[in-house]
């Protein structure tokens, strides 16, 4: 194993241990008690991790569907790598905020897409993992009031934010702001052009009901599998337990929007509204094992970022130069 691979493994282990300690202490209030729970249920943690890895692999197919809808072909293996890489970076950043930029960079680098097009594909996936849970929480949160009040407020904010994102006026305002920060000239015009490319690409994806239905169905299938990863931690729960697991999962997605690394605290809050604390501990450990595993290929993730940054910079420079020449003509 090369030196940088050793460093990647070490980084993975350090981050995993640090996050696990924080999570366990937060949930149980006692690290010793939390570790005892895990030690007594190692087989369940392993099975839950396998189910989580399976559902995250299912989610990866959404990149394949969206890329083909945009006229590009992305290999399934590449989609899996992109999805798991964005998941790992998301867990390490506030409110999973690193997930979309990572997916944008890696899919853009793999398909050689402009920033606007690559961002439309990344946000196309993020849209479903934001809106479906938010709608589900709005539908079920009334049963868990007052504990679910914060989740309900976050859901409303998420739905409002996506409504604004679909607004052409809002996008134009963001493009104008970025253009003004660029100081005008060719670079500002290039930024506006990229914003327009994003708008066209995103509108094309979200206006195709067949694509929306396909991605929604894949998302729902992954949520069902993920619910089973919770259900196995609730012995004797039965069919009603599967529904509870799904509700807890949707609440955890919404809670993950808190501005802490990976939504830390918010995810546990959502789960704990419905589930016993022991199940929350076991599932969160299972999730982090899967989510942080891609740090083992952190060198490839970084290379993808750097390669796409170079590609995007050169493309933006060419676009700005072309715009400047047009203006002089």
């Amino acid at each position: 194993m090369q030196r940088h691979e050793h460093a990647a493994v070490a980084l993975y282990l350090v981050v995993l241990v640090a996050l696990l300690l924080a999570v366990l202490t937060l949930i149980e209030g006692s690290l010793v008690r939390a570790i005892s729970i895990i030690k007594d249920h190692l087989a369940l943690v392993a099975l839950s991790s396998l189910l989580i890895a399976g559902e995250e692999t299912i989610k990866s197919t959404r990149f394949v569907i969206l890329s083909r809808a945009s006229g590009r072909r992305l290999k399934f293996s590449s989609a899996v790598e992109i999805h798991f890489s964005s998941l790992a970076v998301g867990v390490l950043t506030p409110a999973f905020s690193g997930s979309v930029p990572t997916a944008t960079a890696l899919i853009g680098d793999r398909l050689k897409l402009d920033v606007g097009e690559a961002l439309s594909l990344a946000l196309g996936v993020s849209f479903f993992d934001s809106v479906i849970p938010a709608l589900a929480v709005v539908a079920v949160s009334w049963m868990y009031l007052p504990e679910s009040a914060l989740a309900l407020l976050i859901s409303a904010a998420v739905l409002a934010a996506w409504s604004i994102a679909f607004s052409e006026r809002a996008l134009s305002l963001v493009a104008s702001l970025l253009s003004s920060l660029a100081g005008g000239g060719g670079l500002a015009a290039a930024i506006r052009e990229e914003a327009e490319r994003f708008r066209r690409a995103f509108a094309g994806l979200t206006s195709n009901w067949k694509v929306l239905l396909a991605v929604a169905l894949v998302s729902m299938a992954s949520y069902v599998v993920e619910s089973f990863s919770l259900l196995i931690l609730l012995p004797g729960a039965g069919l009603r337990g599967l529904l509870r697991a799904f509700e807890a999962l949707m609440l955890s997605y919404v809670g993950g929007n808190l501005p802490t690394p990976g939504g830390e605290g918010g995810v546990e809050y959502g789960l704990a509204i419905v589930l016993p604390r022991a199940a929350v501990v076991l599932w969160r450990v299972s999730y982090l094992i899967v989510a942080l595993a891609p740090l083992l290929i952190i060198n490839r993730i970084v290379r993808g970022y750097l390669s796409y940054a170079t590609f995007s910079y050169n493309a933006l420079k060419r676009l700005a130069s072309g715009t400047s020449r047009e203006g002089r003509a």
Side-chain angles (χ1 to χ4, degrees):
M1 189 180 289
Q2 297 179 4
R3 182 178 299 176
H4 64 273
E5 291 174 328
H6 281 295
V9 173
L11 175 62
Y12 167 65
L13 292 176
V14 169
V15 173
L16 176 61
V17 170
L19 275 178
L20 285 180
L21 292 178
V23 168
L24 298 180
T25 304
L26 177 68
I27 298 171
E28 279 294 332
S30 168
L31 184 58
V32 174
R33 187 164 60 246
I35 292 175
S36 177
I37 291 173
I38 296 169
K39 185 180 67 175
D40 294 339
H41 299 87
L42 288 177
L44 284 178
V45 169
L47 181 54
S48 183
S49 295
L50 285 174
L51 287 168
I52 293 169
E55 62 85 10
E56 293 296 339
T57 301
I58 292 172
K59 282 181 181 176
S60 303
T61 61
R62 298 179 298 184
F63 283 123
V64 176
I65 295 170
L66 290 173
S67 63
R68 289 183 178 177
S70 66
R72 310 279 181 160
R73 299 189 72 85
L74 182 69
K75 292 181 180 178
F76 175 68
S77 58
S78 297
V80 171
E81 183 177 326
I82 290 167
H83 175 74
F84 275 87
S85 298
S86 65
L87 177 65
V89 177
V91 166
L92 298 176
T93 50
F96 286 87
S97 57
S99 178
V100 169
T102 301
T104 300
L106 297 185
I107 200 170
D109 181 56
R110 198 61 57 92
L111 297 179
K112 300 306 176 188
L113 299 175
D114 292 314
V115 174
E117 293 178 88
L119 180 58
S120 71
L121 296 178
L123 283 178
V125 167
S126 178
F127 169 77
F128 288 91
D129 284 341
S130 298
V131 171
I132 292 177
L135 290 174
V137 167
V138 169
V140 305
S141 61
W142 61 272
M143 295 187 294
Y144 299 104
L145 290 171
E147 290 84 358
S148 62
L150 177 59
L152 184 59
L153 289 174
I154 295 174
S155 296
V158 167
L159 294 174
W162 277 105
S163 297
I164 294 172
F166 278 99
S167 166
E168 186 174 345
R169 178 179 298 179
L171 183 59
S172 298
L173 181 62
V174 172
S176 297
L177 177 61
L178 291 175
S179 298
S180 63
L181 291 175
L187 180 57
I191 290 174
R192 286 195 293 270
E193 175 62 23
E194 283 295 346
E196 178 58 24
R197 284 179 179 172
F198 165 75
R199 188 194 67 78
R200 289 196 302 265
F202 194 63
L205 292 175
T206 54
S207 62
N208 188 328
W209 70 269
K210 291 182 180 179
V211 173
L212 291 178
L213 179 60
V215 178
L217 289 175
V218 169
S219 299
M220 289 304 299
S222 72
Y223 300 150
V224 171
V225 175
E226 197 169 7
S227 296
F228 275 103
S229 74
L230 278 166
L231 181 64
I232 64 171
L233 306 176
L234 304 170
L239 186 60
R240 170 58 186 162
L242 181 60
L243 181 58
R244 285 176 57 212
F246 178 78
E247 292 169 350
L249 184 66
M250 295 296 97
L251 285 161
S252 75
Y253 270 70
V254 168
N257 287 290
L258 288 184
T260 55
E264 197 59 61
V267 173
E268 292 78 13
Y269 153 73
L271 293 171
I273 290 175
V274 181
L275 304 178
R277 286 188 300 178
V280 175
V281 168
L282 294 174
W283 188 84
R284 193 59 169 145
V285 169
S286 303
Y287 181 84
L288 288 176
I289 289 172
V290 175
L292 292 174
L295 291 182
L296 294 171
I297 58 167
I298 188 67
N299 55 320
R300 293 173 63 175
I301 298 173
V302 172
R303 281 204 306 268
Y305 258 110
L306 294 176
S307 174
Y308 190 60
T310 302
F311 172 81
S312 300
Y313 171 76
N314 290 332
L316 195 62
K317 188 166 68 171
R318 286 194 302 271
L319 186 59
S321 176
T323 304
S324 298
R325 285 195 297 270
E326 289 173 13
R328 286 195 297 271

